């Protein structure tokens, strides 16, 4: 199935949707308290109690989300880090079941693109307000990603960032991991776009993006849209510390083109390196390899968003949703 059914999983007329929570218990400090708050907030919104599924080391969420779909869930809350969310994306792509994100990790890429940070109230409010978008997803092997896949420096940075540092200082911990690899030698890559002759580059990283926001709110790819049927491919070729600084400054200012970064659009992209490279999907490391092939699966995922407008920025109205979410949590605590 290339895309989801036209049916919306949750509408204003469906005031009591069935839901499930797929939670990584390692990411939640007090699971009983967390469950009480979520159950109470959904009850305050008029929703029935959700069914709860806990992830395991062997299954980070895909099997649990698939089980929730079979049990009749119309909304699945993914509660955890990047791995949990990506597993749920893979399970729900191509269905008419919506994904809502309750981020509990320290570096959740999809949550960053929704403007949710780790705000539980905002995540719940976004779901109960029934704002939804149908998104494209990227496919690598038997896994799907909603934000971006990458090979090279970006995955090295993730691999070098400790969980302890992330818990202590949040997303800036990735800058520490990045600093360790700024002077690493580039990889020789060929990048084939939609079967055309390959482009050959000495690159530090190749990113394949569905949406363009990185941690910290930085928009790497300003033209990337989540539902346009295209993947945006960024080839990064900095060679010196000065090149890195120029790239960083251009991204912060967001004026004109970014030096040492080429951008292409593709429905299928095949990346091959001269040596094995670290690789990642939606901020979650996968096995290193010498190649990465990604394809687009148009309009395959229903996603709960702050506002269902046709804006490439999925974080539109996130701050207002967070304020309303605080009220929802307070109402739940009074119950």
């Amino acid at each position: 199935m290339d895309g989801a059914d036209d049916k919306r999983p949750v509408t204003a007329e469906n005031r009591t949707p069935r839901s499930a929570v797929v939670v990584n218990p390692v990411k939640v400090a007090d699971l009983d308290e967390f469950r009480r708050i979520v159950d109470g907030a959904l009850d305050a919104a008029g929703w029935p109690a959700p069914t709860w599924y806990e992830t395991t080391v062997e299954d980070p969420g895909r099997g649990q989300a698939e089980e929730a779909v079979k049990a009749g869930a119309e909304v699945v809350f993914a509660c955890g880090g990047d791995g949990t969310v990506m597993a749920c994306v893979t399970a729900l792509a191509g269905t008419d079941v919506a994904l809502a994100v309750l981020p509990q990790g320290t570096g959740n890429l999809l949550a960053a693109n929704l403007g949710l940070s780790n705000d539980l109230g905002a995540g719940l409010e976004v779901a109960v307000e029934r704002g939804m978008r149908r998104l494209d997803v990227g496919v690598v092997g038997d896994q799907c990603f909603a934000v971006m896949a990458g090979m090279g420096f970006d995955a090295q940075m993730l691999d070098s960032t400790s969980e302890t540092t992330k818990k202590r200082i949040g997303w800036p911990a990735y800058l520490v991991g990045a600093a360790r690899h700024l002077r690493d030698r580039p990889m020789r890559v060929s990048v084939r776009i939609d079967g055309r002759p390959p482009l050959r580059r000495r690159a530090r990283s190749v990113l394949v993006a569905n949406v363009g926001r990185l941690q910290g709110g930085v928009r790497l790819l300003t033209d990337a849209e989540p539902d346009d049927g295209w993947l945006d491919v960024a080839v990064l070729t900095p060679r010196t510390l000065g090149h890195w600084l120029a790239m960083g400054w251009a991204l912060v200012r967001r004026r004109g083109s970014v030096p040492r970064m080429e951008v292409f659009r593709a429905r299928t992209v095949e990346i091959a390196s001269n040596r094995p490279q670290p690789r990642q999907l939606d901020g979650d490391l996968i096995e290193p390899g010498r190649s990465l092939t990604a394809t687009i699966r148009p309009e395959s995922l229903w996603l709960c968003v702050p506002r269902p407008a046709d804006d490439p920025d999925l974080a539109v109205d996130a701050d207002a949703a967070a304020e309303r979410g605080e009220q929802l949590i307070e109402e739940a605590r009074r119950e």
Side-chain angles (χ1 to χ4, degrees):
M1 180 183 293
D2 289 331
D5 191 281
D6 284 339
K7 173 188 173 185
R8 278 182 181 268
V10 180
T11 65
E13 292 74 28
N14 180 6
R15 297 189 179 279
T16 59
R18 290 169 291 178
S19 64
V21 181
V22 176
V23 59
N24 181 347
V26 175
K27 297 290 186 178
V28 180
D30 187 337
L31 185 57
D32 290 337
E33 174 66 8
F34 179 81
R35 181 169 178 166
R36 188 186 67 79
I37 292 174
V38 172
D39 285 351
L42 293 179
D43 180 66
W47 289 30
T51 305
W52 286 76
Y53 301 87
E54 293 187 18
T55 68
T56 64
V57 174
E58 296 76 21
D59 189 341
R62 181 173 180 174
Q64 293 86 342
E66 289 173 345
E67 186 177 342
V69 172
K70 292 177 182 177
E74 295 160 283
V75 177
V76 171
F77 293 91
C79 176
D82 287 310
T84 304
V85 174
M86 185 181 68
C88 291
V89 167
T90 300
L92 300 182
T95 75
D96 60 0
V97 178
L99 173 68
V101 181
L102 298 180
Q104 289 295 304
T106 51
N108 192 287
L109 271 178
L110 185 54
N113 278 274
L114 291 170
L116 298 181
S117 183
N118 278 349
D119 192 325
L120 175 59
L124 289 166
E125 186 68 22
V126 165
V128 301
E129 288 184 357
R130 302 171 175 82
M132 297 203 183
R133 290 273 295 272
R134 269 174 54 169
L135 267 61
D136 305 332
V137 298
V139 181
V140 173
D142 65 348
Q143 295 178 285
C144 297
F145 64 92
V147 181
M148 65 179 66
M151 181 171 173
F153 172 79
D154 57 302
Q156 286 178 318
M157 174 188 68
L158 294 172
D159 194 31
S160 297
T161 304
S162 73
E163 288 295 323
T164 301
T165 306
K166 285 195 292 183
K167 289 178 181 178
R168 188 169 66 249
I169 65 175
W171 70 263
Y174 291 106
L175 300 178
V176 178
R180 298 173 181 171
H181 296 284
L182 291 179
R183 297 184 182 275
D184 288 1
R185 65 190 176 105
M187 56 182 175
R188 295 182 183 273
V189 295
S190 69
V191 181
R192 186 185 294 271
I193 304 291
D194 292 333
R196 296 195 290 269
L199 307 166
R200 303 190 186 280
R201 299 288 189 272
R202 288 173 58 86
R204 292 301 314 280
S205 184
V206 181
L207 295 168
V208 183
N210 186 39
V211 293
R213 191 188 298 273
L214 301 176
Q215 293 297 338
V218 176
R219 291 290 298 274
L220 176 69
L221 296 161
T222 55
D223 294 330
E225 297 186 15
D227 51 8
D228 62 357
W230 293 92
L231 294 168
D232 289 67
V233 183
V235 182
L236 280 59
T237 59
R239 295 188 182 180
T240 67
L241 183 58
H243 291 162
W244 282 114
L245 292 173
M247 285 182 62
W249 179 240
L251 288 172
V252 171
R253 295 180 69 210
R254 220 45 261 201
R255 296 179 183 175
S257 62
V258 177
R260 296 285 171 172
M261 184 175 81
E262 296 177 274
V263 180
F264 308 91
R265 305 186 84 202
R267 300 192 191 278
T268 298
V269 56
E270 302 166 76
I271 307 160
S273 170
N274 63 321
R275 62 183 189 274
Q277 297 293 329
R279 305 180 301 167
Q280 60 87 14
L281 301 180
D282 276 357
D284 194 51
L285 289 168
I286 61 175
E287 285 294 321
R290 294 181 59 177
S291 65
L292 183 75
T293 298
T295 59
I296 192 71
R297 193 173 175 184
E299 295 189 340
S300 292
L301 178 72
W302 281 109
L303 180 68
C304 297
V305 297
R307 192 172 70 189
D310 294 330
D311 193 303
D313 186 354
L314 297 175
V316 169
D317 202 35
D319 290 341
E323 292 179 4
R324 295 190 294 273
E326 289 181 10
Q327 299 174 5
L328 182 64
I329 294 292
E330 286 302 315
E331 186 175 349
R333 284 175 172 153
R334 288 196 296 267
E335 293 293 328

